[in-house]
Amino acid sequence: MLDASAPKEAGKIWRGGWANKEKDPQVLVDTARKLGFSALIINAGDDFAYLNDLCERARQANIGIYHSFLITGTPKDKDWWQVVSPAEAEKARRIKEDKTPGKNGYQQGGEPINNQTDIHETEFLCFHRPEVVEACRKKLEEVLQKCPGLAGIAFDFFGYKNYRSCQCPVSEKMFEEYLKQNQMPRAKALEQFSLETLVDFNNRLADHCRKLKPGIKIATHVYPTFLPEPVYGNRLDVDYCMQTVAWFFKPFWDLAKVESYTRKVVQDDKRYFARAQGIPFVGIYMDRPDPEMNKPAERFRDELRTIRKAGSQSFGIYPFNIFINHPELGDILIEELGLPEATAGS
């Protein structure tokens, strides 16, 4: 139950749900309104008709619709993919082909639990390449032009395939130049270079969106993990930075870690940018055939209670659709985090 003695968060309550398309988009809007969500981040690809319809429905409910923007690779842009070492590529191949439950503890972009699964099976574009930056800029221009009712853009899958760095020729050349200008041990320099360029890519695209459409909001989910500094989101010049405080899969994170990460997310959010608001993010599956991918409802309750204890009623989640299929989870959300006095619609 909601603890009235729990500390209040400093900023407004903001809740963002990362949602997949529903046949009836009104179901998404009605569920979001009932649970006090400020925004829905929609993975709809280029289905601009669906997005525009959803924007109008959500506008009437004072809920903002965000376009989910990814930088994952496709066969058409293989020349722009990030490059990893042969050993890492072999790990990724084994993970992709592994059909056993749990895939040896693979965390799918979350913090790895062993050194056999510390890489993503997905291909990622190398954002050090000017061609990738330009392609992203053009795609954002298209989205904002074709969906004028969007409240915002939401970044996801912005990171490294191996959670550390890219080894393509462009990245290595940039790193060698960086190393010459920054006298420090090579390993430390690579960590710093990788983080700084990742942050810069996020911030440049966010700035591009604001120039295209003044007043547009930018959200992000810090994913996949960046192993040298997993909770780096306060460096991002975004409006709503969702950082994972409770991951999807077993072994579930210790509640002390959930509390520690939440405090860092919400208390350190304005260290670099005044506009930024840190949002605790939780992942939950319940209906997957692999038991390692399901989270019990009571575990979800414990995580929400810990988030509130750490000082936040704001919240981000994937998949938001789980509240449609499991309305009991919505009841738990309200019981543990309460309802905002009013949603912001932004």
Side-chain angles (χ1 to χ4, degrees):
M1 293 295 291
L2 192 63
D3 180 4
S5 65
K8 286 187 175 182
E9 66 164 341
K12 70 177 182 181
I13 299 172
W14 189 90
R15 292 179 183 165
W18 297 76
N20 298 312
K21 290 166 58 177
E22 289 282 340
K23 186 175 182 180
D24 180 1
Q26 191 62 42
V27 174
L28 287 170
V29 174
D30 291 344
T31 304
R33 178 167 48 190
K34 176 183 176 182
L35 299 179
F37 273 72
S38 316
L40 289 173
I41 298 121
I42 305 299
N43 181 17
D46 288 341
D47 192 344
F48 298 122
Y50 186 93
L51 278 171
N52 284 323
D53 177 50
L54 187 60
C55 283
E56 178 56 27
R57 295 171 185 267
R59 183 189 63 79
Q60 298 176 38
N62 199 31
I63 295 167
I65 299 300
Y66 287 56
H67 171 75
S68 175
F69 186 78
L70 318 179
I71 59 163
T72 48
T74 68
K76 294 180 180 179
D77 48 39
K78 190 171 183 178
D79 289 344
W80 298 351
W81 289 1
Q82 293 181 17
V83 174
V84 297
S85 71
E88 290 170 333
E90 175 60 19
K91 284 184 188 180
R93 184 196 64 78
R94 289 200 305 266
I95 292 168
K96 201 165 188 177
E97 294 179 357
D98 189 351
K99 305 303 180 184
T100 61
K103 289 192 172 192
N104 191 33
Y106 176 52
Q107 296 295 299
Q108 296 198 9
E111 296 177 25
I113 62 172
N114 60 55
N115 61 11
Q116 294 304 305
T117 56
D118 54 347
I119 193 165
H120 210 294
E121 61 182 333
T122 300
E123 301 299 342
F124 290 76
L125 297 181
C126 177
F127 47 83
H128 296 146
R129 289 180 170 272
E131 312 99 301
V132 172
V133 175
E134 184 59 24
C136 288
R137 289 165 62 95
K138 288 182 177 178
K139 186 61 181 180
L140 288 166
E141 291 170 13
E142 178 189 13
V143 169
L144 290 174
Q145 181 181 32
K146 292 185 176 180
C147 295
L150 286 171
I153 299 292
F155 300 156
D156 200 9
F157 283 79
F158 280 33
Y160 295 101
K161 180 178 175 67
N162 64 6
Y163 313 150
R164 298 172 182 85
S165 62
C166 176
Q167 299 176 28
C168 78
V170 173
S171 297
E172 292 198 331
K173 181 179 180 181
M174 287 179 63
F175 171 61
E176 292 301 330
E177 294 172 354
Y178 181 92
L179 187 60
K180 290 177 183 178
Q181 298 170 11
N182 296 270
Q183 299 300 316
M184 62 179 74
R186 188 178 186 87
K188 181 63 178 177
L190 182 59
E191 289 182 3
Q192 188 166 302
F193 164 79
S194 297
L195 178 58
E196 288 181 4
T197 51
L198 174 56
V199 168
D200 181 64
F201 175 70
N202 275 269
N203 292 350
R204 279 193 291 157
L205 282 193
D207 186 58
H208 181 62
C209 291
R210 295 186 182 109
K211 289 177 179 176
L212 291 171
K213 184 178 179 179
I216 194 80
K217 298 294 185 181
I218 308 298
T220 191
H221 175 216
V222 174
Y223 172 87
T225 189
F226 179 67
L227 284 177
E229 189 176 330
V231 189
Y232 68 85
N234 61 5
R235 299 172 182 266
L236 303 179
D237 187 12
V238 299
D239 297 277
Y240 306 108
C241 184
M242 284 167 265
Q243 300 199 74
T244 302
V245 301
W247 194 235
F248 292 88
F249 315 126
K250 297 177 181 176
F252 301 129
W253 291 3
D254 185 275
L255 292 178
K257 178 176 180 176
V258 175
E259 182 175 354
S260 173
Y261 272 28
T262 300
R263 291 190 186 279
K264 183 173 179 61
V265 167
V266 301
Q267 294 178 4
D268 202 26
D269 57 357
K270 293 178 174 27
R271 180 177 176 186
Y272 294 91
F273 298 99
R275 81 173 98 221
Q277 183 173 347
I279 311 295
F281 174 92
V282 171
I284 175 172
Y285 291 128
M286 292 189 75
D287 299 315
R288 296 299 180 95
D290 179 357
E292 298 298 313
M293 297 181 71
N294 290 320
K295 181 180 288 186
E298 286 307 306
R299 170 67 199 195
F300 182 62
R301 181 188 296 277
D302 290 341
E303 292 168 353
L304 297 183
R305 187 171 294 172
T306 303
I307 289 170
R308 178 61 187 256
K309 178 184 175 184
S312 184
Q313 290 174 263
S314 292
F315 179 66
I317 189 171
Y318 179 84
F320 174 81
N321 310 66
I322 201 166
F323 292 124
I324 299 170
N325 301 324
H326 290 274
E328 71 276 13
L329 295 181
D331 295 337
I332 291 173
L333 174 68
I334 294 172
E335 289 169 7
E336 298 302 333
L337 293 188
L339 279 172
E341 293 182 7
T343 54
S346 61

